């Protein structure tokens, strides 16, 4: 569906992305992950024909985004990093304009607008001027604009930024609903969000891809070594020392009083030893469990490793 | 063509909801009103005098004494007014990042530019329509020749097209409306000065400069003549401005 090959883009002398190659199949939901300035928005701008790349090629449904740009644009709904909103327009007029611009015939425009208003829960504000809406509602109008022509491909640059927690959940649900019938690429800083919505992530850092993989395999691939979380009722200064003194522990960190994370060798099975230690010292175990490595850890690990390798 | 109209319609909506449009229109109407009042006054004074002097009504030429100069003054006022109308066209879209919506839609850049051009032309035509009370009054009260009035409006309209295409070019260069207006004034005045310089330059250069000047070509229209070379001049001027705008917008995507 989307084939990106050797994509590079320079802003003057500054290289924003370098030789990105990846593929996205029809119906996939792919998360785009990377620290600030990694080149996520740049890549998304190129995919949605806002600007051409310096080199490389992008094919969307067989259309080249540079050469057959008009055909490609029909297939895409795009929410840029800054929602492209005319602040002097009434929300529903704006959506009608977006619909007409995206080739929705005028007699269908009205129902298209009503549908997205419903989907993005904009009913209360549809008659208000966009410039006076709160940031979250503006973001929703931006999302509505990307959905208006029911495109095959949705490209959403940080769709949930500025929304309240309830809205975030709603928009996530909306994206999950859309996932059944659309191909979706989204970037986000909120890492759990990617875990929830996306099956696959593309992690980029400083303009280069550091990982393209499904979430599960990323998690397993990176779990070299185990981490345990121990919570106890009573702890003193010696607790941490005693834990460190155990065989096979690499690092012990006290997160807050009475809560420790213990990194140990792979397959160490030291739960017994820890439990025994706790009983002997009468700490009162509240919890002892393996910590699953979050995407956040993976993300940090990958992007930091990448930097260490560099000269 | 459909897309052009969709874009023009949105721009018109935003003109009519903006205070800039209303203040510019008011200033235009007041300035033009003053000019017209002065011209009309001196005309009636002059005809009163000739009436007294000669004792008979020989009829001074209304076209020459009022209508022609009022069109000329209108051309000057428009020179200052139009950059204020065109300044936001692209600058504002770039600043508020809404240009991304247009660029990611299945719309050609040419259609976007034409849409903006059309919107500005409609707005300015509306302003001219509002100022039409003056000529309307003359047609009603006196007996001017209708021919030169119609060709005069055609000339002014074409000239407006030139200003607008220059203004759009200026607006495509920047994302700051003020800078767009300043560049717009700059170009418009420069082209105005070309005609002025023509009188000072030698015969050959003078002729070239005179041909390039916007105002020279207006004269024929004001006299009631439609010359194909004037038409060609204005139309190619407009196309050239739009072409430059296109180049600038296209190349700014590559940067
Ligand atoms: N218009 C521009 N001109 C010059 N440099 C730019 C421009 N846009 C982006 N850059 C540079 O390109 C690099 C990638 O930027 P980009 O906006 O794609 O990052 P991002 O991954 O979207 O970051 P964020 O998470 O902050 O949104 C950055 O170093 C940025 O400074
Ligand atoms: Mg970004």
């Amino acid at each position: 569906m989307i084939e990106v090959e050797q994509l590079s883009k320079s802003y003057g002398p500054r290289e924003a992305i370098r030789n990105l190659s990846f593929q996205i199949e029809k119906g996939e939901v792919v998360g785009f992950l990377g620290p600030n300035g990694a080149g996520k928005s740049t890549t998304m701008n190129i995919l949605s024909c806002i600007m051409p790349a310096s080199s490389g090629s992008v094919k969307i449904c067989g259309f080249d985004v540079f050469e057959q740009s008009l055909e490609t644009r029909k297939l895409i709904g795009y929410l840029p990093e800054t929602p492209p909103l005319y602040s002097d327009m009434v929300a529903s007029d704006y959506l009608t304009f977006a619909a007409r611009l995206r080739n929705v015939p005028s007699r269908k425009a009205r129902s298209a607008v009503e549908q997205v208003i419903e989907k993005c829960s904009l009913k209360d504000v549809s008659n208000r001027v966009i410039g006076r809406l709160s940031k979250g509602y503006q973001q929703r109008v931006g999302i509505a604009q990307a959905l208006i022509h029911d495109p095959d491909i949705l490209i959403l640059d940080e769709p949930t930024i500025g929304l309240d927690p309830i809205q975030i959940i709603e928009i996530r649900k909306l994206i999950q609903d859309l996932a059944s019938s659309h191909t979706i690429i989204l970037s986000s800083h909120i890492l759990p969000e990617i875990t929830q919505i996306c099956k696959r992530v593309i992690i980029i850092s400083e303009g280069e891809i550091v990982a393209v993989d499904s979430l599960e395999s990323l998690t397993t691939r990176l779990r070299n070594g185990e981490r345990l979380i121990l919570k106890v009722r009573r702890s003193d200064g010696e607790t941490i020392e005693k834990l460190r003194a155990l065989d096979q522990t690499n690092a012990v960190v006290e997160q807050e009083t009475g809560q420790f994370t213990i990194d140990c060798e792979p397959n160490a099975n030291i739960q017994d030893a820890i439990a025994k230690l706790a009983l002997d010292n009468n700490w009162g175990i509240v919890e002892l469990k393996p910590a699953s490595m979050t995407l956040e850890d993976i993300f940090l690990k990958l992007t930091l490793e990448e930097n260490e390798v560099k000269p | 063509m459909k897309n052009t109209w969709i874009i023009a319609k949105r721009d018109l909506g935003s003109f009519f909801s903006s205070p800039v449009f209303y203040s510019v229109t008011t200033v235009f109407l007041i300035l033009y009103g003053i000019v017209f009042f002065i011209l009309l006054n001196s005309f009636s004074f002059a005809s009163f005098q000739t009436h007294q002097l000669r004792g008979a009504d020989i009829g001074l030429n209304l076209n020459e004494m009022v209508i022609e100069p009022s069109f000329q003054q209108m051309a000057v006022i428009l020179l200052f007014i139009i950059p204020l109308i065109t300044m936001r066209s692209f600058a504002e879209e770039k600043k508020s990042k809404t240009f991304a919506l247009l660029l990611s839609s299945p719309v050609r850049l040419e259609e976007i530019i034409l849409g903006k051009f059309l919107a500005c032309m409609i707005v300015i035509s509306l302003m001219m329509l509002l100022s039409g009370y003056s000529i309307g009054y003359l047609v009603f009260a006196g007996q001017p020749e209708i021919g030169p009035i119609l060709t005069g409006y055609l000339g002014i309209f074409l000239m407006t097209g030139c200003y607008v295409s220059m203004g759009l070019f200026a607006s495509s260069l920047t994302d700051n409306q003020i800078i767009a207006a300043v560049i717009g004034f700059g170009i418009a005045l420069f082209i105005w000065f070309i005609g002025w310089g023509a009188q000072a330059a030698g015969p050959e250069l003078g002729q070239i400069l005179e041909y390039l000047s916007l105002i020279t070509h207006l004269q024929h229209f004001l006299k009631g003549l439609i010359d194909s070379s004037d038409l060609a001049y204005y139309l190619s001027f407009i196309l050239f401005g739009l072409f430059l705008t296109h180049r600038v917008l296209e190349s700014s995507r590559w940067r």
Side-chain angles (χ1 to χ4, degrees):
Chain A
M1 188 101 179
I2 302 177
E3 292 160 49
V4 176
E5 260 171 58
Q6 298 291 314
L7 199 67
S8 301
K9 170 80 195 177
S10 309
Y11 295 104
R14 161 185 235 115
E15 231 176 3
I17 54 171
R18 198 162 33 245
N19 293 334
L20 297 192
S21 302
F22 58 87
Q23 262 154 35
I24 295 172
E25 299 301 323
K26 192 173 165 66
E28 264 192 302
V29 181
V30 176
F32 232 64
L33 212 53
N36 288 130
K40 303 181 295 290
S41 301
T42 304
T43 313
M44 290 182 148
N45 274 337
I46 296 172
L47 292 187
S48 21
C49 313
I50 302 281
M51 61 186 181
S54 308
S55 67
S57 79
V58 181
K59 281 214 162 66
I60 293 183
C61 296
F63 295 118
D64 187 293
V65 292
F66 313 118
E67 259 128 51
Q68 291 145 307
S69 156
L70 280 184
E71 282 84 354
T72 341
R73 282 185 249 173
K74 285 180 195 158
L75 306 170
I76 296 177
Y78 181 41
L79 171 71
E81 192 160 33
T82 315
L85 304 174
Y86 294 98
S87 52
D88 56 356
M89 277 179 108
V90 170
S92 59
D93 289 351
Y94 169 75
L95 291 173
T96 312
F97 170 66
R100 300 288 294 123
L101 213 53
R102 258 74 181 269
N103 280 350
V104 177
S106 56
R107 69 206 135 72
K108 293 201 183 130
R110 204 197 160 107
S111 68
V113 170
E114 274 164 16
Q115 271 174 23
V116 291
I117 285 180
E118 182 71 40
K119 272 187 193 161
C120 302
S121 16
L122 285 168
K123 213 165 226 118
D124 298 339
V125 300
S126 64
N127 290 324
R128 289 178 52 192
V129 174
I130 294 176
R132 309 237 175 86
L133 297 180
S134 68
K135 172 82 183 78
Y137 272 105
Q138 290 183 352
Q139 186 70 18
R140 284 195 243 173
V141 177
I143 297 173
Q145 158 277 125
L147 297 176
I148 192 93
H149 53 311
D150 197 21
D152 290 346
I153 299 169
L154 271 173
I155 301 180
L156 308 172
D157 202 344
E158 297 176 25
T160 54
I161 206 163
L163 301 181
D164 65 45
I166 297 169
Q167 262 312 304
I168 290 182
I169 292 169
E170 261 173 47
I171 293 296
R172 271 184 214 160
K173 232 174 65 210
L174 173 64
I175 294 174
Q176 274 159 342
D177 291 346
L178 292 167
S180 57
S181 50
H182 300 74
T183 308
I184 302 176
I185 308 177
L186 65 104
S187 73
S188 172
H189 286 136
I190 309 166
L191 301 163
E193 179 165 281
I194 300 260
T195 347
Q196 282 179 19
I197 307 177
C198 307
K199 305 271 177 314
R200 210 153 70 95
V201 283
I202 297 174
I203 300 183
I204 62 174
S205 164
E206 303 198 353
E208 286 180 284
I209 293 189
V210 286
V212 185
D213 222 329
S214 72
L215 273 176
E216 298 91 59
S217 65
L218 261 186
T219 328
T220 42
R221 209 178 84 192
L222 280 152
R223 194 187 280 176
N224 42 10
E226 309 268 332
R227 173 178 286 183
L228 296 173
I229 293 177
L230 171 70
K231 262 194 213 165
V232 293
R233 240 173 254 121
R234 293 172 289 277
S235 69
D236 48 41
E238 289 191 355
T239 312
I240 196 162
E241 296 305 325
K242 284 181 180 152
L243 284 169
R244 282 193 180 134
L246 281 174
D247 274 354
Q248 291 179 304
T249 54
N250 288 338
V252 181
V253 180
E254 182 159 21
Q255 303 287 24
E256 45 193 275
T257 344
Q259 183 172 337
F260 302 88
T261 58
I262 304 161
D263 284 342
C264 46
E265 306 279 312
N267 309 317
N269 280 326
I270 59 166
Q271 278 96 331
D272 286 349
I274 295 173
K276 188 164 180 301
L277 194 65
L279 277 175
D280 291 349
N281 291 291
N282 194 23
W283 289 338
I285 294 191
V286 178
E287 201 174 7
L288 175 61
K289 63 169 188 188
S292 58
M293 207 156 179
T294 63
L295 195 58
E296 206 145 350
D297 303 322
I298 298 170
F299 176 67
L300 281 175
K301 192 154 180 147
L302 277 172
T303 49
L304 290 179
E305 267 170 13
E306 170 71 10
N307 288 345
E308 280 161 17
V309 172
K310 271 193 193 129
Chain B
M1 218 43 224
K2 190 192 75 208
N3 291 332
T4 303
W5 178 237
I6 292 169
I7 287 168
K9 219 165 58 180
R10 198 215 71 80
D11 268 28
L12 285 174
S14 104
F15 273 124
F16 297 141
S17 65
S18 104
V20 175
F21 166 73
Y22 294 101
S23 45
V24 166
T25 306
T26 311
V27 168
F28 170 75
L29 289 177
I30 291 175
L31 288 180
Y32 176 74
I34 293 172
V35 165
F36 184 74
F37 180 76
I38 293 173
L39 287 170
L40 197 63
N41 240 0
S42 50
F43 174 77
S44 40
F45 184 67
S47 51
F48 177 74
Q49 269 187 331
T50 41
H51 194 77
Q52 287 222 317
L53 237 54
R54 310 268 177 94
D57 191 3
I58 57 154
L60 285 169
N61 192 324
L62 197 58
N63 282 79
E64 260 173 36
M65 283 197 64
V66 183
I67 296 174
E68 223 183 284
S70 85
F71 273 131
Q72 277 165 351
Q73 298 306 325
M74 191 196 278
V76 177
I77 300 171
L78 286 174
L79 178 125
F80 289 97
I81 291 292
I82 290 175
L84 298 174
I85 296 289
T86 55
M87 65 181 183
R88 63 195 319 220
S89 298
F90 294 105
E92 176 72 9
E93 298 259 7
K94 288 198 260 179
K95 178 140 240 159
S96 64
K97 311 278 183 195
T98 46
F99 209 38
L101 176 69
L102 303 183
L103 290 179
S104 66
S105 299
V107 180
R108 286 172 206 286
L109 193 52
E110 294 87 337
E111 294 174 318
I112 300 176
I113 296 171
L114 276 182
K116 302 267 171 200
F117 180 77
L118 191 64
C120 291
M121 288 306 283
I122 291 176
V123 164
I124 296 159
S125 306
L126 199 76
M127 285 164 52
M128 293 205 296
L129 202 69
L130 290 176
S131 74
Y133 67 89
S134 54
I135 308 284
Y137 167 73
L138 289 186
V139 172
F140 178 73
Q143 280 108 33
E145 277 182 76
I146 299 295
I149 293 179
L150 295 180
T151 55
Y153 268 119
L154 176 65
I156 286 281
F157 187 72
L158 286 168
M159 189 166 186
T160 300
C162 298
Y163 287 146
V164 168
S165 90
M166 278 187 276
L168 289 181
F169 168 66
S171 183
S172 73
L173 292 171
T174 166
D175 61 3
N176 183 320
Q177 292 190 41
I178 310 286
I179 296 178
V182 169
I183 297 176
F185 287 135
I187 304 175
L189 278 175
F190 174 75
I191 296 194
W192 192 266
F193 288 157
I194 286 181
W196 196 38
Q199 293 154 11
E204 273 162 39
L205 182 65
Q207 228 170 15
I208 298 171
L209 289 183
E210 199 167 299
Y211 183 77
L212 287 178
S213 158
L214 271 177
I215 197 75
T216 345
H217 295 272
L218 189 62
Q219 295 311 330
H220 293 152
F221 284 104
L222 296 186
K223 295 272 181 238
L225 302 169
I226 300 180
D227 193 328
S228 57
S229 96
D230 298 327
L231 275 179
Y233 170 83
Y234 279 137
L235 292 179
S236 38
F237 194 116
I238 293 171
L239 284 179
F240 184 63
L242 297 180
F243 169 75
L244 285 183
T245 311
H246 187 276
R247 296 313 314 157
V248 169
L249 291 174
E250 186 64 44
S251 73
S252 69
R253 292 173 68 192
W254 285 89
R255 255 181 250 122

